Amino acid sequence: MGVALKNMYFTVMCLPSQDCKFYGEVHSPFLQQSVEFCGLTELILIMDQVMKDYHLPKHDERYRHFQSHHAMIEQKLEYRKEDIQERFEEYLNESMKCSKNSQNTFQIKVMYRQNYTWQGEIIWSEKQRTKFFRSALELMHLIYSVFE
């Protein structure tokens, strides 16, 4: 029997890059492989697209938008084809064990999507520090604060 999926999980690895100030990879149990991002805006848009595609966590309103997809996401997101609930814990552990050349790794759990933003928890893995965030903007500030 699988687990009931209510939250969305991501692991964000920040990697050294000369071309992009904020570069790395985002992992999720729902993705077949990691997705590269260049810039915090692209990271947020990728995470948002995964949550929209899986309807997790449930949101309180329909999205308002001018266009139906994010033009800034250059990669095609490839999702796992099998029923993820059966092996969710295995996929979650696999997505959290990213060990490339990361300078900073963050475990992000989005628990709610309310008022057109996100609420959840972020863990800075290298320092074992946990913070809760009340919006995607606050999440961005928490991540940027590591680099200041």
Side-chain angles (χ1 to χ4, degrees), residues 22 40-41 43-45 47-48 51 108 110 112-122 131-146 148:
F22 192 79
L40 201 49
T41 301
L43 169 64
I44 295 296
L45 291 175
M47 292 169 64
D48 189 57
M51 288 188 282
I108 299 170
V110 180
Y112 306 100
R113 290 188 296 163
Q114 297 174 340
N115 302 316
Y116 297 100
T117 192
W118 314 337
Q119 298 81 38
E121 175 183 44
I122 180 171
K131 296 279 186 188
F132 288 92
F133 57 91
R134 295 164 292 213
S135 69
L137 180 60
E138 186 175 24
L139 173 64
M140 291 170 61
H141 280 288
L142 288 167
I143 292 171
Y144 268 132
S145 71
V146 169
E148 292 176 349

Side-chain angles (χ1 to χ4, degrees), residues 15 40-41 50 59 64 88 90 99 103 122 130 137-138:
L15 302 169
L40 201 49
T41 301
V50 173
H59 57 87
R64 296 183 286 184
F88 180 74
E90 176 186 334
S99 61
Q103 296 173 340
I122 180 171
T130 302
L137 180 60
E138 186 175 24

Side-chain angles (χ1 to χ4, degrees), residues 13 15 17-26 35-46 72-75 144:
M13 294 177 17
L15 302 169
S17 171
Q18 294 183 348
D19 300 339
C20 184
K21 183 176 180 181
F22 192 79
Y23 167 79
E25 293 181 354
V26 59
V35 179
E36 291 183 359
F37 62 87
C38 184
L40 201 49
T41 301
E42 187 176 23
L43 169 64
I44 295 296
L45 291 175
I46 291 168
M72 289 184 68
I73 301 176
E74 295 178 9
Q75 302 94 336
Y144 268 132

